[in-house]
Amino acid sequence: MKKPELLAPAGSFEKAKTAFMYGADSVYMGTSKLSLRSRVNVDDNELIKTIEYAHSINRKVYAALNIYARDGMYKEIEEQIKNLKLAKVDGLIISDGGIVEIAKNIAPEIPIHISTQANVTSYHTSNFWKRNGAKRIILARELHKNEIKEIKQNTDLEIEMFIHGAICYSYSGRCHLSDFLASRCGNLGDCAQSCRWAYNIYLEEKNNPGNLIPIETDENGTYILSSKDLCLIKELPEVIKMEIDSLKIEGRLKTEYYLATIINAYRNAIDDYISNPEEYNYTKYMKEIEKTKTRGLTTFYFNDKNNKDFQEYEGKQYNPNYEFGGKIICKDEDYFSKHIIEIRNRLKLGDVLEILIPNQLEAKEFTIQKMWDIDTKEEIKYVNPGKEGQKVILEIPFEVKPNWILRRKK
């Protein structure tokens, strides 16, 4: 049985390291201006450092150049492709035909992956991109499983598909709502996520202008444009049987805690199914996934083209019982059970923490018994993350390793 690539998002070098630690075969990143997450500020040096690190551990990095470019951007695009060529990036994620042409001319040795933004929904379109230099297509998220199978059977391109993460309100991300409401163009990487906003809906009778009758009475308005998050953990066996080449998780803006939890769940699920398909039980992986703050979960159109259960009408995040506790930095040399932790939320004596262990689905749990101030070495009862990177010394009753992620039970 073919094992698919597990592809994870990385909004920084540190997030890439977390993704690899928890089981990602590859990560995708972008630059600050030329991908569809321009608020993820990844400069060239950090991107190159990530590529070098990935290659040192036999992993891959794909760089997103998937904006729809204006003519004034092509000089910068050319320079970016030259830099990525020198860095030996493993693939370029591109939507725009003009950028595809530039990439083919400057760096023909770098594989071209056609972004989901290009709305590939048929094998005819797939084969068009093959004739124009693509090695891989990233399918539109709106496809039914039978449509995916048909594409797979009628093209020899590599196929990549999303299996988890946020779904854009518009067709595979081709949205102008943010540009219209906030003058921030999603197709140039500056989406304001206007579909996640609360809207007040009114009815106006044509012959009585100005007399607005509210349709919704909820004081929070209506989240009529907001979607649930995609989750195909239950359908993973079907996806693997289809021999999809790469399974993609969405979320370059997500925390290291989110990445560790979701990647670890899918890594274990893939490996367990490959080794023992008869015993696959999605519920244990779902329990881990549900320990992240997320919207409601949906299979979108994968099982049913008529599915209507994918809108998030309440606009809230679920699973609030766990949160990012911190990250293990190193062992305190003075005492074997003391470890320096970079904290991400308030911690206090008596809190229950879980340690996410790479390649192990079940987290290890302990209760905070003792903490020390990082500077004074004095015992403390609680600590608040007053600044980014704040650290505390924590007593952990078993062996742990640097960069493992802690989550706190609320």
Side-chain angles (χ1 to χ4, degrees):
M1 192 180 299
K2 178 179 177 180
K3 181 181 286 191
E5 172 187 66
L6 181 58
L7 176 57
S12 68
F13 175 59
E14 289 300 319
K15 290 181 180 180
K17 289 199 300 181
T18 297
F20 289 135
M21 174 174 287
Y22 283 93
D25 298 303
S26 309
V27 299
Y28 60 100
M29 304 179 77
T31 63
S32 61
K33 295 181 180 179
L34 300 177
S35 77
L36 292 184
R37 289 293 182 269
S38 63
R39 286 174 290 151
V40 181
N41 188 20
V42 180
D43 62 26
D44 287 350
N45 291 332
E46 188 168 18
L47 182 54
I48 291 169
K49 183 168 69 170
T50 304
I51 295 169
E52 291 173 348
Y53 174 77
H55 291 174
S56 75
I57 58 173
N58 199 30
R59 308 291 176 89
K60 294 181 179 181
V61 177
Y62 307 132
L65 299 173
N66 55 343
I67 61 168
Y68 284 94
R70 310 297 199 261
D71 285 316
M73 299 176 176
Y74 275 89
K75 184 175 181 180
E76 183 178 3
I77 290 167
E78 291 175 8
E79 290 303 313
Q80 186 66 68
I81 293 173
K82 289 175 183 177
N83 291 336
L84 292 169
K85 178 178 180 176
L86 291 174
K88 298 183 179 179
V89 73
D90 299 287
L92 296 174
I93 303 170
I94 304 175
S95 309
D96 189 309
I99 301 178
V100 169
E101 287 296 318
I102 295 294
K104 285 163 54 180
N105 292 333
I106 294 176
E109 72 276 21
I110 302 178
I112 293 172
H113 299 182
I114 300 302
S115 171
T116 190
Q117 295 289 122
N119 309 144
V120 177
T121 57
S122 70
Y123 67 81
H124 293 85
T125 304
S126 302
N127 290 329
F128 163 82
W129 282 116
K130 180 188 175 183
R131 292 190 295 272
N132 282 276
K135 181 180 180 181
R136 175 184 294 190
I137 52 166
I138 306 167
L139 296 178
R141 276 169 273 199
E142 292 78 10
L143 293 173
H144 184 272
K145 57 189 173 186
N146 290 339
E147 295 172 315
I148 297 172
K149 290 176 185 176
E150 187 170 15
I151 293 171
K152 178 64 180 174
Q153 291 166 1
N154 289 281
T155 183
D156 56 4
L157 284 172
E158 292 180 4
I159 304 293
E160 178 180 313
M161 63 175 282
F162 282 89
I163 56 167
H164 196 94
I167 300 172
C168 186
Y169 159 75
S170 191
Y171 207 138
S172 286
R174 294 283 290 273
C175 183
H176 295 277
L177 187 64
S178 173
D179 204 6
F180 177 73
L181 293 177
S183 297
R184 288 172 51 178
C185 182
N187 294 312
L188 291 176
D190 196 26
C191 180
Q193 296 202 358
S194 307
C195 58
R196 305 297 183 190
W197 299 352
Y199 292 87
N200 291 319
I201 312 299
Y202 296 95
L203 181 68
E204 182 182 50
E205 201 278 315
K206 183 177 180 181
N207 296 317
N208 192 12
N211 185 15
L212 302 179
I213 304 169
I215 295 176
E216 290 288 335
T217 58
D218 190 326
E219 66 276 9
N220 295 318
T222 306
Y223 293 82
I224 60 168
L225 303 178
S226 186
S227 302
K228 294 179 179 180
D229 285 357
L230 178 68
C231 177
L232 296 182
I233 195 71
K234 183 178 180 180
E235 288 71 22
L236 191 63
E238 283 188 271
V239 174
I240 293 175
K241 289 176 183 176
M242 290 159 62
E243 297 191 339
I244 302 302
D245 298 279
S246 183
L247 308 184
K248 189 171 193 173
I249 296 168
E250 190 275 342
R252 276 183 280 161
L253 294 171
K254 297 292 189 179
T255 66
E256 290 173 81
Y257 163 54
Y258 178 92
L259 295 178
T261 303
I262 301 300
I263 294 167
N264 201 40
Y266 278 95
R267 175 77 280 155
N268 279 276
I270 292 169
D271 293 348
D272 290 350
Y273 179 75
I274 293 290
S275 63
N276 191 0
E278 289 77 18
E279 297 295 323
Y280 185 80
N281 181 359
Y282 79 95
T283 57
K284 60 182 180 180
Y285 313 107
M286 182 64 83
K287 286 179 182 178
E288 281 296 297
I289 289 170
E290 289 178 344
K291 289 183 179 180
T292 61
K293 283 186 178 180
T294 183
R295 304 176 186 93
L297 299 175
T298 179
T299 57
F300 204 27
Y301 292 141
F302 183 83
N303 293 316
D304 182 6
K305 286 295 286 185
N306 295 314
N307 181 25
K308 300 295 189 293
D309 183 28
F310 56 81
Q311 282 189 279
E312 186 54 84
Y313 291 106
E314 296 186 20
K316 67 180 182 181
Q317 291 191 326
Y318 299 87
N319 314 319
N321 296 325
Y322 295 85
E323 64 183 9
F324 195 174
K327 181 168 72 170
I328 295 170
I329 301 301
C330 62
K331 183 179 288 188
D332 189 307
E333 295 180 356
D334 296 333
Y335 190 64
F336 79 95
S337 65
K338 292 182 182 178
H339 291 79
I340 298 173
I341 309 299
E342 183 178 292
I343 63 171
R344 298 300 176 89
N345 273 297
R346 175 186 169 92
L347 299 178
K348 66 181 186 302
L349 297 184
D351 279 350
V352 177
L353 296 180
E354 291 186 349
I355 296 184
L356 279 65
I357 302 174
N359 302 314
Q360 179 176 311
L361 187 63
E362 294 78 18
K364 213 165 183 177
E365 182 179 294
F366 71 98
T367 301
I368 299 178
Q369 303 287 353
K370 290 185 178 181
M371 285 193 296
W372 293 264
D373 184 274
I374 188 71
D375 297 316
T376 66
K377 307 296 183 180
E378 294 179 354
E379 285 196 39
I380 56 176
K381 294 183 178 180
Y382 66 89
V383 61
N384 287 313
K387 59 182 179 180
E388 185 177 353
Q390 184 170 343
K391 298 177 179 64
V392 67
I393 300 173
L394 199 64
E395 186 175 67
I396 301 177
F398 39 75
E399 189 64 33
V400 295
K401 294 183 179 180
N403 297 316
W404 284 9
I405 299 296
L406 299 165
R407 65 181 169 216
R408 182 172 75 94
K409 277 187 173 182
K410 295 176 69 175

